[in-house]
Amino acid sequence: MSTHLTAPADPTATGTARHWQECTDRFAALFGRYVGREAQKVPMTDAELREVIDACNRAVAPLGKAVSDKRWISYMDVVRWSQSARHIKDMQAFKAVCVLNCITFVWDDMDPALHDFDSFLPEVRAVCERYYTPQDAEFAYEGARAFVTSDHMFRDSRLKQVLCGTSPEQYFRFRVTDVGVDFWMKMSYPIYRHRELTEHSKTGLAARMATRGLAIVNDFYSYDREHALGQITNCFRLCDLSDDAEFRAFFQVRLDDMAEDMECLKAFDDVSRDVLFDLIQGNFTWTTRDRRYQTAVNEVNSRIQ
């Protein structure tokens, strides 16, 4: 499977970036073995893009923060790459996921001192109620509320330090909610109108099965940014990145974790399997191509002050 990816040009790269090409090739080989096809970016018209960006601007306006179209599009592209284009049945729900994903990205990128639940959560609920049926709106809203609350409560907490610094097992338990996979599944299942996927998303099974693959990819490509910002939610902090042999051994175990989960995903029904495979591989494709991960800090990933 061709990835059309090239290594960053910086010959002085440190952290995980010094292993960029080697690990990117190994991720791609894993997806080639289990998925066997390229990720597809969901097409959107100019009118749909404008609708989503305008809805995002309305939702974050009470926070008093202006966000550029370039940044909104960077946030939005993870949805366009990571949803299963072949199985989409509801574009209204797809647009809802774009908006919810984008505005919670803003929350995640903000200084916690600026978090204002009283102004933000009603806007989140309004987005859910606009795009979803009443029952689906409740699941999407609860997923979003849990995600932003978890991010606010635990960003600098002792509990987070323990969970993120003890072992990969504890770390990935925490990341089911912290990385937002449970939120993603609860806001995404209406896109597909598929009974089994709906139940896997509501019960949390889909999120648990996708978390390691999503977090490992995200952590590898975001390590330098998170290190620069002093953030601790990264599994690669659990190994010595200055020791190439230790890093490669640690990375191999993480690939084995992903392979184990993807082997299990093959037993899901055809649609649920495809959606979860496309989510994990699409996140990889977005992460390796999007400007957010090209440099440690830039105009689409810097802390929103």
Side-chain angles (χ1 to χ4, degrees):
M1 183 174 64
S2 173
T3 61
H4 307 295
L5 305 173
T6 57
D10 183 4
T12 64
T14 58
T16 59
R18 63 198 293 243
H19 302 285
W20 198 97
Q21 192 63 59
E22 174 190 353
C23 292
T24 296
D25 290 344
R26 296 186 71 193
F27 278 132
L30 179 70
F31 292 125
R33 187 159 74 249
Y34 282 97
V35 184
R37 58 179 175 271
E38 296 279 355
Q40 299 177 33
K41 188 176 184 180
V42 177
M44 295 179 72
T45 66
D46 289 345
E48 288 170 333
L49 287 169
R50 191 72 255 166
E51 177 187 344
V52 168
I53 291 172
D54 289 347
C56 291
N57 283 324
R58 284 194 301 271
V60 301
L63 297 175
K65 300 299 168 187
V67 178
S68 68
D69 285 4
K70 181 184 291 188
R71 191 164 186 141
W72 285 133
I73 289 170
S74 175
Y75 290 153
M76 196 188 312
D77 275 356
V78 69
V79 182
R80 297 182 67 186
W81 278 112
S82 300
Q83 298 291 1
S84 188
R86 294 164 302 131
H87 294 294
I88 290 177
K89 293 184 178 178
D90 190 331
M91 275 302 293
Q92 285 295 100
F94 178 83
K95 288 186 286 187
V97 175
C98 287
V99 177
L100 292 172
N101 171 78
C102 287
I103 64 177
T104 52
F105 251 119
V106 168
W107 184 271
D108 189 49
D109 281 349
M110 283 176 62
D111 185 327
L114 302 175
H115 287 168
D116 182 351
F117 286 89
D118 290 341
S119 65
F120 186 61
L121 289 180
E123 297 294 335
V124 174
R125 181 175 284 281
V127 171
C128 295
E129 291 176 349
R130 176 181 178 185
Y131 286 102
Y132 296 114
T133 66
Q135 182 187 43
D136 293 339
E138 283 303 313
F139 275 94
Y141 174 74
E142 175 53 29
R145 187 208 61 77
F147 171 69
V148 299
T149 302
S150 175
D151 173 71
H152 179 83
M153 288 177 61
F154 300 124
R155 189 171 299 184
D156 299 310
S157 73
R158 170 63 179 159
L159 174 60
K160 184 172 184 176
Q161 292 175 8
V162 171
L163 293 175
C164 291
T166 299
S167 68
E169 291 74 22
Q170 300 301 335
Y171 174 79
F172 290 120
R173 287 191 182 103
F174 176 60
R175 291 294 262 171
V176 173
T177 55
D178 181 72
V179 80
V181 193
D182 187 63
F183 168 38
W184 178 280
M185 298 312 307
K186 286 178 177 174
M187 68 177 170
S188 294
Y189 72 77
I191 292 173
Y192 304 106
R193 300 179 187 169
H194 185 264
R195 183 177 63 84
E196 289 91 340
L197 178 64
T198 294
E199 292 308 314
H200 294 322
S201 300
K202 287 180 175 180
T203 63
L205 177 61
R208 291 193 295 275
M209 293 304 303
T211 290
R212 286 198 296 189
L214 289 169
I216 290 163
V217 169
N218 176 272
D219 288 356
F220 178 82
Y221 294 104
S222 64
Y223 177 86
D224 292 325
R225 171 182 180 264
E226 292 176 352
H227 180 72
L229 294 173
Q231 297 175 349
I232 66 170
T233 44
N234 195 296
C235 69
F236 291 99
R237 292 178 64 253
L238 295 169
C239 73
D240 182 357
L241 291 178
S242 68
D243 184 325
D244 286 355
E246 180 176 335
F247 169 78
R248 288 190 171 98
F250 186 87
F251 185 80
Q252 181 61 56
V253 176
R254 303 289 73 77
L255 279 185
D256 292 344
D257 289 342
M258 291 177 65
E260 179 182 51
D261 290 347
M262 295 181 81
E263 190 67 40
C264 291
L265 290 176
K266 287 164 58 178
F268 280 60
D269 66 89
D270 290 350
V271 172
S272 297
R273 178 202 62 215
D274 286 354
V275 168
L276 292 168
F277 275 175
D278 289 348
L279 168 60
I280 299 169
Q281 182 182 241
N283 179 68
F284 165 72
T285 302
W286 171 71
T287 304
T288 51
R289 299 185 187 194
D290 193 81
R291 180 161 175 74
R292 183 173 176 85
Y293 297 93
Q294 295 305 305
T295 56
V297 181
N298 58 46
E299 73 271 22
V300 300
N301 72 14
S302 58
R303 178 67 71 212
I304 296 174
Q305 304 292 338

